[in-house]
Amino acid sequence: MERNVEKMLNRVSVAFISIGTVIMVIMILQTPKTCISPEAPSKSHTHFPRSTCDSSPRQHLPLPKKNARMWSSKAWKLRLSSFSSYFVRFRDLGFLQNHTKALCLSAGAGHAPMALSQIGLSDVTAVELVESLPLVRRADPHNLPFFDGVFDFAFTAHLAEALFPWRFVAEMERTVRRGGLCLVAVDECGGDDVKDIARLFLNSKLVDMANVTLEGSKMTSLLLKVQESPA
Ligand SMILES: *[C@@H]1O[C@H](CO)[C@@H](O)[C@H](O)[C@H]1NC(C)=O
Ligand SMILES: *[C@@H]1O[C@H](CO)[C@@H](O)[C@H](O)[C@H]1NC(C)=O
């Protein structure tokens, strides 16, 4: 009796193993349908792998070479000059000087900090969740690894994408000294939207507002001055 049970259990497990093996082989042989087709090129992302299933070995260039290649690309230069002309206006208005200690939040690959250096600022720090050395360090903009009031100026063009905008803004205000400036560029808006964004800054006053074109998009730029005494 026990022998029969044992035999039956053995057969059942053999059957399960066979089924499992067959399914595995089928899965290995099938190309997943979730692969992005190589025939759908995106103009702005031509340097990305052609397909998510592209398993050909990537080129691993040393960092300086990789950066030199990226910084000499037409797309990079275009975005850089867009940021430069945007920042130059603030320099000409007297809001930015060569000695202004600047911070860029959610700086991406580093166009904004490079533009600030280009217009003459000598002390520029930039952070992003993913680092792009030497321009951008890794840090969470919601929890900046800097002491209070160490910057004269903070800039972001990515407040709208922040997980917690109020927290993001609070960190901007905390790390900029009193009397310093916070600059945000958001999707073009006016009226109440501008008021709502300005209101996120609990301890700053709006000093300049302009509609600008940044990276080819229509944006509204808000410059706020951190107040001398906390509200
Ligand atoms: C600021 O720096 C730039 C480049 O580093 C320089 O050409 C310019 O003369 C400086 N401006 C002042 C006011 O010192
Ligand atoms: C910017 O554009 C928005 C919407 O197009 C408009 O409502 C607003 O008044 C403009 N702001 C300025 C400062 O021109």
Side-chain angles (χ1 to χ4, degrees), residues 77-227:
K77 285 180 178 164
L78 219 64
R79 284 180 74 175
L80 180 66
S81 77
S82 164
F83 274 108
S84 294
S85 27
Y86 171 60
F87 289 133
V88 153
R89 180 173 161 264
F90 296 102
R91 191 191 61 187
D92 294 347
L93 288 171
F95 291 120
L96 290 175
Q97 273 125 26
N98 280 0
H99 58 80
T100 300
K101 208 172 168 206
L103 170 68
C104 297
L105 293 105
S106 296
H111 300 83
M114 190 184 261
L116 285 170
S117 303
Q118 205 176 52
I119 66 159
L121 275 71
S122 56
D123 192 341
V124 182
T125 304
V127 298
E128 175 59 90
L129 289 174
V130 183
E131 70 181 5
S132 297
L133 295 174
L135 294 173
V136 183
R137 294 163 55 175
R138 192 173 68 136
D140 182 357
H142 296 93
N143 188 17
L144 293 172
F146 306 114
F147 290 118
D148 297 359
V150 291
F151 297 101
D152 301 310
F153 170 83
F155 165 75
T156 188
H158 296 283
L159 178 59
E161 291 104 273
L163 222 44
F164 304 104
W166 55 271
R167 172 85 196 161
F168 191 106
V169 164
E171 281 293 88
M172 271 180 112
E173 283 191 307
R174 180 183 69 76
T175 50
V176 169
R177 67 171 169 83
R178 291 185 189 162
L181 297 160
C182 295
L183 178 64
V184 293
V186 295
D187 286 344
E188 191 174 85
C189 60
D192 288 344
D193 288 336
V194 169
K195 275 188 201 150
D196 286 344
I197 295 161
R199 226 178 267 139
L200 285 171
F201 291 79
L202 297 178
N203 189 35
S204 306
K205 281 221 164 73
L206 190 62
V207 292
D208 176 84
M209 188 179 83
N211 286 340
V212 296
T213 301
L214 192 56
E215 302 177 275
S217 305
K218 286 186 164 188
M219 301 193 91
T220 294
S221 161
L222 308 179
L223 183 70
L224 300 104
K225 185 169 182 176
V226 181
Q227 296 305 286

